[in-house]
Amino acid sequence: MKARKLITILLVLSLVLTLPNIAYAMPTSRHDAAKNYVLDMYDKDDGIFYLDPDTKTTNIEVVYSSVLVLYLFDTLEDINTTIVALWINSTLNLEDINDTNNYGGFASSPGGTPDIYSTYYAIQTLFYLDELDMVKNTTLIAEWINRTKNADGGYGYYPGKPSTLISTYYAIECLILLNELSYINYTELKNLVLDLQVSDKSSIDYGAFKGSFNESAASIESTYAAVNILYLLNAVDELNYTLINNWVMQKWANGGFRPSKAHYPDIFSTYWCISTLNITTNASISSILDIENVTRWVLSLQKEDGGFSVYSIDETSSPIATALAIETLYLLGSMGELDNQVPWEKGGLTYLYLFLILIFGSIAVVTLAMYVKSKIKRY
């Protein structure tokens, strides 16, 4: 009797330990790995994304990037969007109406100093969450954005700071999302952008854009901002697409894009270039670019924690790099590649879970055999 009880206990215990490991050992898709990476940083109690859940450190860009991934995956139902939106709203500076440099802008974290980048991340995140209605006074924010505007028609990082194309792009995107179009001077902005295009035919940057009047060389980020500004203004026809495409394609190397020949390809440069080409090729990037090659390079950035890194040689993933990687795949029309199994699992089974299944499975089989044998002897 005692022997039969022991056999029964061993059988049940082995099955209990084996079945969960079989479930965990099922093939994991790249999509699920990336989604789980983001959700692992989500604190259900606080309803916010943390860069480090243990220390509870975060900022507006981390939250924006995490939400963007879930938005592109169409899985925002996995989080409490209202609570996330409330945290975003808590970064809005409403402390002192007389403090015109700060009142009405969003900061990187609650109580911080507002800037145009953080304001862009906040407005975009609320848009992705479908919570823009939480902003009760859009004019208040538009007024702060307008205070970052300079005499040259561009916008700076903060009121009083010099204009840059990236700050200008963020400002215009915010005003459009807030439906505060009266603050946008279309002609002035178009002229500003075109004035920053390199017109010297002997320059290696011919056709690209400088970030500001204080800069002598063009950059990928500034060219991305310029093209996107003109796109928002419905003025991209002002551009010579061929010139821009040729300059951008010079940055392509080993699958990704790089700032210069002295650098490795990185996800920031790759996203900016793909976003630019998506506009200047009328979404027909494949006409000048090997989509599969770029897609393979982006996928090579995914690490075993599910997140993506900035460089292929970098082992550290981040939510910001992950968001840029997923958005790049989206622009390339390569989201379907994320349905494939992650490369660090072999045959659908991780080595650890395969080992556990073999051990506990063997015990279960032996125990079952002993149980059957005892039943046969009984009869």
Side-chain angles (χ1 to χ4, degrees):
M1 181 67 72
K2 289 183 178 180
R4 285 201 298 272
K5 286 185 177 180
L6 179 60
I7 291 173
T8 302
I9 292 172
L10 284 173
L11 178 60
V12 171
L13 181 61
S14 298
L15 291 173
V16 167
L17 292 173
T18 303
L19 292 177
N21 284 300
I22 292 175
Y24 276 114
M26 294 302 289
T28 303
S29 68
R30 288 180 176 273
H31 172 283
D32 288 347
K35 185 184 75 169
N36 292 335
Y37 167 78
V38 170
L39 291 176
D40 283 345
M41 299 185 188
Y42 178 65
D43 189 306
K44 292 182 180 179
D45 295 328
D46 295 343
I48 196 63
F49 294 91
Y50 290 112
L51 185 59
D52 183 350
D54 294 329
T55 61
K56 294 194 172 183
T57 55
T58 191
N59 60 59
I60 195 80
E61 189 174 9
V62 169
V63 177
Y64 159 81
S65 299
S66 302
V67 169
L68 175 56
V69 171
L70 298 180
Y71 174 80
L72 291 173
F73 284 166
D74 195 23
T75 56
L76 284 172
E77 68 274 5
D78 291 331
I79 63 174
N80 188 323
T81 57
T82 301
I83 295 180
V84 177
L86 285 171
W87 184 89
I88 295 290
N89 220 32
S90 72
T91 67
L92 178 62
N93 186 299
L94 297 174
E95 294 178 5
D96 183 0
I97 194 172
N98 295 314
D99 183 6
T100 56
N101 281 342
N102 296 310
Y103 189 75
F106 287 87
S108 179
S109 58
T113 302
D115 63 80
I116 198 64
Y117 285 38
S118 297
T119 300
Y120 168 79
Y121 294 137
I123 299 300
Q124 279 282 15
T125 305
L126 290 174
F127 170 76
Y128 294 142
L129 294 172
D130 196 24
E131 295 283 359
L132 266 178
D133 288 344
M134 192 172 285
V135 180
K136 302 302 181 184
N137 190 342
T138 57
T139 301
L140 175 72
I141 301 170
E143 286 289 347
W144 181 84
I145 293 173
N146 203 47
R147 287 195 287 276
T148 68
K149 188 177 180 180
N150 294 300
D152 58 15
Y155 295 75
Y157 179 77
Y158 181 79
K161 296 295 182 180
S163 302
T164 65
L165 280 181
I166 193 66
S167 292
T168 301
Y169 167 53
Y170 286 165
I172 299 308
E173 184 78 78
C174 287
L175 292 172
I176 290 174
L177 287 174
L178 294 172
N179 198 29
E180 294 287 351
L181 304 183
S182 62
Y183 288 88
I184 301 175
N185 187 321
Y186 287 77
T187 301
E188 186 178 49
L189 276 170
K190 183 182 73 172
N191 291 337
L192 167 73
V193 172
L194 294 177
D195 284 346
L196 287 170
Q197 188 172 26
V198 177
S199 57
D200 182 359
K201 294 183 179 180
S202 64
S203 171
I204 59 173
D205 290 331
Y206 178 51
F209 292 81
K210 299 180 293 183
S212 71
F213 291 110
N214 296 325
E215 298 177 17
S216 57
S219 70
I220 294 174
E221 182 183 27
S222 298
T223 301
Y224 151 81
V227 171
N228 275 274
I229 290 170
L230 293 176
Y231 178 78
L232 292 175
L233 300 177
N234 292 316
V236 284
D237 290 342
E238 299 282 344
L239 297 173
N240 183 322
Y241 291 166
T242 302
L243 278 182
I244 295 174
N245 293 343
N246 288 342
W247 183 84
V248 170
M249 289 303 296
Q250 291 175 18
K251 308 298 181 182
W252 188 33
N254 302 317
F257 290 79
R258 57 188 179 177
S260 70
K261 292 182 179 180
H263 295 82
Y264 290 108
D266 66 84
I267 193 59
F268 286 91
S269 298
T270 300
Y271 166 71
W272 291 328
C273 287
I274 295 301
S275 179
T276 300
L277 293 174
N278 195 54
I279 294 174
T280 57
T281 62
N282 294 313
S284 299
I285 305 179
S286 59
S287 62
I288 63 172
L289 185 66
D290 185 341
I291 300 295
E292 291 184 6
N293 187 278
V294 183
T295 298
R296 283 195 299 270
W297 181 83
V298 174
L299 292 175
S300 75
L301 303 179
Q302 192 172 25
K303 307 306 174 185
E304 291 193 19
D305 61 4
F308 290 72
S309 61
V310 175
Y311 301 96
S312 58
I313 59 173
D314 187 2
E315 292 301 319
T316 305
S317 57
S318 76
I320 297 170
T322 300
L324 290 172
I326 301 302
E327 192 164 12
T328 300
L329 292 173
Y330 175 80
L331 292 173
L332 289 170
S334 299
M335 291 289 278
E337 296 297 322
L338 293 171
D339 294 331
N340 295 326
Q341 181 183 331
V342 294
W344 53 87
E345 290 181 359
K346 306 300 180 181
L349 301 174
T350 62
Y351 292 123
L352 173 61
Y353 290 123
L354 179 59
F355 175 76
L356 292 174
I357 289 170
L358 288 173
I359 294 297
F360 294 122
S362 298
I363 294 174
V365 170
V366 172
T367 305
L368 181 60
M370 292 171 63
Y371 180 77
V372 171
K373 185 177 180 180
S374 67
K375 287 288 187 181
I376 292 174
K377 284 184 176 180
R378 182 178 178 184
Y379 294 102

